[in-house]
Each structure stands twice: as C-alpha cells, then as structure tokens.
Amino acid sequence: MRVLANDGISKAGEIVLKDAGIEVLDNRVAQDHVADFINENNVDVLLVRSATKVRKDLIDACPNLKIIGRGGIGMDNIDVEYAIDKGIYIINTPTASSKSVAELVFAHFFSLARFLHESNRLMPLEGETHFDAMKKSFSKAYELSGKILGVIGFGSIGQEVVKMGISLGMKVKVLTRKPRTETLSLEFFDGQKVNFEITSTNNTDEFLKDLEFISINTPQTKEYIIDTPQFEKMKDGVYIVNTARGGVINEVTLLDFIKSGKVAGAALDVFENEPRPELILLMNPSLSLTPHLGGNTVDAQEKIGVELAQQIIEIKKKL
C-alpha cells in the first residue's frame, strides 16, 4: 500500500505506517496535479488537511484510490458522501487536536481580557514614549475566574473548552441544537479525577443573555450562528472567540457591535475570506487574530499522524 500525505504527516505517524510495511510519499503536489500524481504513482491512500481539496472530479479521476483521510475534524474540503458511494473509505481524527484548539481559545480569551493583543502591537512603537499612558489604558482588565462562559457546540473541542473553563473557576453554559447531557472528567497530575455532568440547552435567547465569554466550536454552517439578532441579545462587554469555521459569525456585523461597545473584544482564528482575510479585520485593534492555528501544535500533529496511521492499518487488513 502506498500513501500520499499531500499536506504532510507527523514523523510519529510516518513511522507507524512504515513499520506496518506501508510506503509513505512525502511529496507536496499542487492541487491541479494531484490526480495525475496519484494515478502515475499507484497511490492507494490520500491524506490531506485543509490545503488539498478532494472534490468529485478528483475522486472520479482516481478510480484506484481506496482511502481518503483528513488530519483533523472538519471534512468540508472533501466530498465525503460521493467518495463513500464510490466505495472509498473516509477517515479523520475528530479528537486528536481538541486540546490544542481549546487551549488556543483560552489563549485568545486571556489575550483579550488583559489587552495582550493590543499591548504587543503598541509596545514596540510607543513603549518608550507612552509607557505610563498605556499602563493606564490597559488597566481595565478582567479575570476569567467566576465569569460566565458560553460554549456553542458540544463536540470534542467544545467539551475540552468546557473542561478548561471549569478548571479556571468559570460558570459554564452550553448551546446545542438538541439538549443533551455529557459527563466530563477532569484529570489531575496526582491521579485524582473529578466528574462534572453538563446539560446543554437549545434555547438561544436564554443561553446568550448573561454570557461574559463566548466560544464558538461548531462544524461549518450554511448560515451565520451569530448575527445581528444574537448580538442584540448579548450582555454588554462580551468577549467572543471563533476557532470553528469562517462563516459561523458575521464579521461585518461583529465590527459594528465592537464599535457600539456591545462586544468588548473578539478573536478570530478562522475567516470568511480565507486565506485572504479582509483588511478591515486585520487592522482592528479590538480583534485578536491568528491564521487558522487551532490544531497546529507539535502535540496535536503527532496524535493526528498516529491516529490516521492506525486507521489505515486496520482498513488494510480488510482490503
């Protein structure tokens, strides 16, 4: 079996595959040439992340392709149902990067609540001449402990965000399409474990009204989850972080509500116009910004590579 990891695979994952007698090609093939490369090199497995798109035309052009794998959770860059109809196995890694994404959520929360994003921009420019003025302007900061955290989405990432919020002493609310209850376990360095039973709500108005921090952790949606009606129901001075997908929050409306003071600050790791975010977003001092880094940690990539490798090995046994 031969694998093309077109968007890369961790060394740990590559070792697992090679130990199982599976060849790994480390080429990076441009989108327009992926199909030809697969056919010319007898590739059985195509592994991608966000960069490579696996649409119907590519699937049709590669009749010998047996497995398509996505390193991560979202599958919006793959025509999944069409591939399955063609008899191709589809695999992904829904939990491998959850902790990394959740940690980025809180990195942004801390950055917003303590003005770190703006301070880091201004200190190199004005730190020598306006030190005291900046110290005063950035003093109206907040602790996260004791605040109300709202989490939209209760998948593996949403659950990790909830757990981190609890560990910081935050009060947690969860919004899902249908109410459900999950038991979440917090494990500590000395072997102790504490379980929390969390029940979500599907009442958006009730969910939004008293939140102080909001994390969006949903799959890609066809319509905005957060738009004018939702912003209007929020408490003044709310902080919002989107590490889900571009298009779940209306970016133009977000800027309007930042300007009005309804939103104290927001963080975007994903954008509607990606990979070319609107300049008006990039220049806004109330936004903390990252270039789609959610699962991009060494730890997450190792887990993703190993998990994909293990799934490929199991499928190989069936073929």
Side-chain angles (χ1 to χ4, degrees):
M1 180 171 277
R2 184 172 287 179
V3 175
L4 171 62
N6 204 47
D7 296 338
I9 186 172
S10 68
K11 195 67 179 177
E14 185 177 344
I15 289 171
V16 172
L17 287 171
K18 289 182 176 178
D19 286 348
I22 297 172
E23 183 180 356
V24 180
L25 305 178
D26 58 1
N27 304 71
R28 300 292 184 273
V29 185
Q31 182 72 52
D32 293 344
H33 302 290
V34 172
D36 288 341
F37 185 92
I38 288 172
N39 293 327
E40 291 169 5
N41 292 275
N42 299 315
V43 171
D44 305 286
V45 183
L46 173 61
L47 300 181
V48 302
R49 293 203 63 214
S50 298
T52 304
K53 314 301 179 187
V54 189
R55 301 301 180 200
K56 294 177 181 179
D57 56 343
L58 192 152
I59 295 167
D60 286 338
C62 304
N64 295 321
L65 201 58
K66 300 177 178 66
I67 303 171
I68 298 171
R70 165 73 162 87
I73 298 175
M75 305 281 275
D76 41 282
N77 59 323
I78 301 172
D79 286 336
V80 174
E81 292 183 7
Y82 188 78
I84 292 173
D85 288 343
K86 291 286 187 177
I88 299 173
Y89 286 91
I90 302 294
I91 59 176
N92 69 337
T93 57
T95 62
S97 60
S98 299
K99 281 187 170 63
S100 289
V101 178
E103 287 188 2
L104 181 64
V105 170
F106 281 92
H108 278 300
F109 277 148
F110 282 120
S111 181
L112 291 166
R114 298 304 300 267
F115 302 102
L116 301 184
H117 61 300
E118 193 171 359
S119 179
N120 278 325
R121 287 173 174 172
L122 293 179
M123 279 295 287
L125 301 174
E126 303 179 18
E128 187 178 5
T129 56
H130 296 83
F131 189 94
D132 289 339
M134 283 193 291
K135 181 179 179 180
K136 184 177 181 179
S137 67
F138 296 148
S139 65
K140 294 180 180 180
Y142 292 96
E143 296 178 353
L144 271 66
S145 178
K147 302 301 188 297
I148 302 175
L149 168 66
V151 180
I152 303 176
F154 209 18
S156 59
I157 295 173
Q159 291 182 24
E160 289 297 331
V161 172
V162 168
K163 288 161 65 174
M164 290 182 191
I166 291 172
S167 70
L168 288 167
M170 303 184 82
K171 302 168 186 176
V172 176
K173 298 169 69 176
V174 180
L175 179 69
T176 53
R177 290 180 181 176
K178 296 180 180 179
R180 66 187 230 243
T181 300
E182 297 283 351
T183 300
L184 306 182
S185 296
L186 268 66
E187 299 180 6
F188 298 91
F189 70 97
D190 59 358
Q192 292 188 71
K193 183 170 73 171
V194 181
N195 291 335
F196 292 85
E197 194 171 83
I198 306 293
T199 300
S200 67
T201 180
N202 64 348
N203 186 327
T204 304
D205 293 355
E206 183 66 25
F207 170 78
L208 290 172
K209 69 177 183 180
D210 57 356
L211 299 179
E212 293 160 295
F213 292 84
I214 299 174
S215 175
I216 308 173
N217 305 106
T218 65
Q220 189 174 40
T221 56
K222 293 182 180 179
E223 298 178 349
Y224 295 124
I225 294 174
I226 302 294
D227 205 346
T228 298
Q230 290 75 37
F231 282 117
E232 289 176 342
K233 293 179 174 67
M234 294 176 190
K235 182 178 179 179
D236 289 350
V238 68
Y239 293 97
I240 303 172
V241 173
N242 179 23
T243 57
R245 284 288 187 270
V248 301
I249 185 170
N250 187 328
E251 295 171 351
V252 174
T253 306
L254 170 64
L255 295 181
D256 291 337
F257 281 92
I258 287 174
K259 187 175 182 180
S260 74
K262 170 68 74 171
V263 177
L268 301 175
D269 183 52
V270 289
F271 303 85
E272 291 189 64
N273 189 25
E274 195 172 313
R276 293 179 178 82
E278 300 296 338
L279 186 60
I280 195 171
L281 296 172
L282 302 179
M283 299 301 292
N284 192 296
S286 295
L287 291 177
S288 179
L289 305 169
T290 44
H292 204 149
L293 298 179
N296 284 2
T297 63
V298 172
D299 311 81
Q301 294 311 306
E302 286 190 356
K303 294 175 189 174
I304 286 170
V306 171
E307 192 172 320
L308 285 173
Q310 291 170 340
Q311 291 182 73
I312 293 168
I313 290 167
E314 287 304 310
I315 293 172
K316 183 185 175 186
K317 295 175 183 177
K318 303 175 184 178
L319 297 174

